[in-house]
Amino acid sequence: MKYQNNEETTKKIAFVGAVTSCHNLYPIERIITLSTMFDKQQTQILVQHDEQAIDFLIQKGFNPIVYKNEKQLISELSRLSPDILIHDAGSTELPLVDHLKTFIPTILHFDDFGDGGTAANCVFQTLYQEKREKLLPHFLIGPSSYVVPKQLQAIQKTANDSFDKPHIVVAIEGMDPDNTSYRVLRHLLQLQIPIKISVIIQSSYAHDVDELKLMALSRKNIKIIQKNNAFYELLGTADIVICGAKYTPYKVATIGIPCIVTCQDELDMQHIFPTETNGFINLGLGKKLKQSLLQNAVMEFLLHDARREHAVRKQLNIDLNRNNQYIQSLLKSFISSRTKSTAFLVEEQAKKTSGMIQ
């Protein structure tokens, strides 16, 4: 959707992105998707130095400004002097945001768990936790804050032929610090049923890939795939996905696939999106994953059509595919608003997109 209002199209927008601490590329995907909602001539992407992120942006046709530290970031933003800053580079501290507000009229954050979020005009929290205290009114919490990557929008789920072996896709995000990929594959190999397994290993994987490849040699129909974008290529044929508890469950729920979740740490355990309520089987910490629990979860999906269909229905009922339209509408209203009052802005967003944040 292109904006025709001259005031909107002449406003400069800066996107600041960084990979997560566990080397998850989704925030970079998110700023790419968001930036394409606006006039390319009025947008600029800044990215914290990371070879994987820089290469990914260049492959997608972007020429990012690279910064190494907070001082360089402030300098670049001061030079650009944007009207809107969309920050997706992790948690921030209050002094940084207060300083940026002296020369940037509107600041929007994604997944900011630091004090800096309190000073932003709006914070979208996709990795949300159970609400234990009252949130500030400009924090928008819930699955509707998830931005659907363009590559994901084009995927069509294909029905598995009854003669095909069930396809299980293992996709643990980023570094996989506890080597959950290895533990999951080892447990799956003990299933005495015909299955096809694809284990996706990202370039940031922190362990010896040869150990996985050696294990894969013990049975046919097992592939170890070292490719960052392989998940999108395999989603259409996956019968079950086994993944971490961060952004991958959102990708799964956008398509609607039975999914088993393992968490990388205690923080992941607090994310309440990938739970039974939304159609997932969450097995807790990956480093404590028991063979019997994983095998029971897999067999539950493979043997019971009603259980599988129920999980998929719960995921699809969230209707994540509508999110980008809602978020674009929110961003548009921030861009067109003349006021700097956070309370006013948030009130207007709520009116225009009632039911957006769940």
Side-chain angles (χ1 to χ4, degrees), residues 107-322:
I107 299 177
L108 312 176
H109 288 190
F110 279 85
D111 285 327
D112 187 344
F113 296 94
D115 291 337
T118 63
N121 294 87
C122 184
V123 180
F124 297 83
Q125 295 286 43
T126 304
L127 299 179
Y128 62 102
Q129 302 169 5
E130 185 177 354
K131 300 175 185 177
R132 296 179 179 175
E133 55 187 40
K134 188 174 181 179
L135 292 166
L136 293 172
H138 67 288
F139 277 76
L140 304 182
I141 307 293
S144 292
S145 64
Y146 172 70
V147 176
V148 182
K150 277 200 165 185
Q151 198 168 351
L152 189 60
Q153 297 173 25
I155 295 174
Q156 297 291 326
K157 186 75 179 76
T158 58
N160 188 357
D161 189 286
S162 59
F163 295 103
D164 287 344
K165 297 179 177 67
H167 185 195
I168 300 176
V169 174
V170 181
I172 308 300
E173 300 104 328
M175 294 176 66
D176 187 6
D178 293 310
N179 209 357
T180 304
S181 301
Y182 181 90
R183 183 174 287 103
V184 167
L185 180 57
R186 187 180 64 197
H187 292 341
L188 291 177
L189 287 175
Q190 301 307 311
L191 284 169
Q192 301 303 311
I193 58 172
I195 53 176
K196 181 168 65 174
I197 305 171
S198 297
V199 181
I200 300 171
I201 298 301
Q202 297 183 350
S203 58
S204 55
Y205 181 65
H207 308 280
D208 187 356
V209 181
D210 289 338
E211 292 185 357
L212 283 171
K213 292 180 177 178
L214 186 62
M215 200 188 315
L217 292 174
S218 65
R219 190 189 293 191
K220 295 180 180 178
N221 298 313
I222 299 178
K223 292 183 179 180
I224 309 300
I225 303 170
Q226 295 176 263
K227 188 177 180 182
N228 287 327
N229 274 345
F231 189 61
Y232 292 124
E233 298 172 6
L234 296 175
L235 263 183
T237 63
D239 295 296
I240 296 176
V241 171
I242 301 174
C243 65
K246 290 184 172 66
Y247 296 109
T248 308
Y250 282 101
K251 297 180 180 182
V252 173
T254 303
I255 307 299
I257 304 169
C259 184
I260 299 167
V261 171
T262 67
C263 303
Q264 291 191 5
D265 51 40
E266 294 293 340
L267 181 60
D268 279 10
M269 292 278 287
Q270 298 177 46
H271 297 158
I272 62 173
F273 175 72
T275 55
E276 175 62 32
T277 301
N278 291 320
F280 299 89
I281 295 179
N282 194 320
L283 299 182
L285 286 173
K287 63 183 178 182
K288 295 183 179 180
L289 183 62
K290 293 183 179 180
Q291 178 177 309
S292 59
L293 287 178
L294 178 62
Q295 291 181 349
N296 288 342
V298 169
M299 296 309 296
E300 185 176 342
F301 278 141
L302 293 182
L303 296 178
H304 304 289
D305 291 347
R307 177 68 179 89
R308 187 167 59 250
E309 292 166 3
H310 181 65
V312 170
R313 185 165 59 251
K314 281 187 172 183
Q315 292 177 11
L316 295 179
N317 282 344
I318 305 168
D319 202 8
L320 295 174
N321 274 305
R322 295 199 306 161

Side-chain angles (χ1 to χ4, degrees), residues 15-17 28 31-32 40 43-67 76 79-80:
F15 296 86
V16 175
I28 305 300
I31 63 171
I32 288 175
K40 192 172 184 179
T43 62
Q44 182 63 62
I45 290 179
L46 298 88
V47 61
Q48 190 169 24
H49 189 272
D50 180 279
E51 293 299 331
Q52 186 182 6
I54 295 168
D55 290 346
F56 186 78
L57 283 162
I58 292 174
Q59 288 172 14
K60 297 296 181 181
F62 294 87
N63 184 27
I65 296 173
V66 180
Y67 69 94
E76 292 292 351
R79 179 180 63 82
L80 292 171

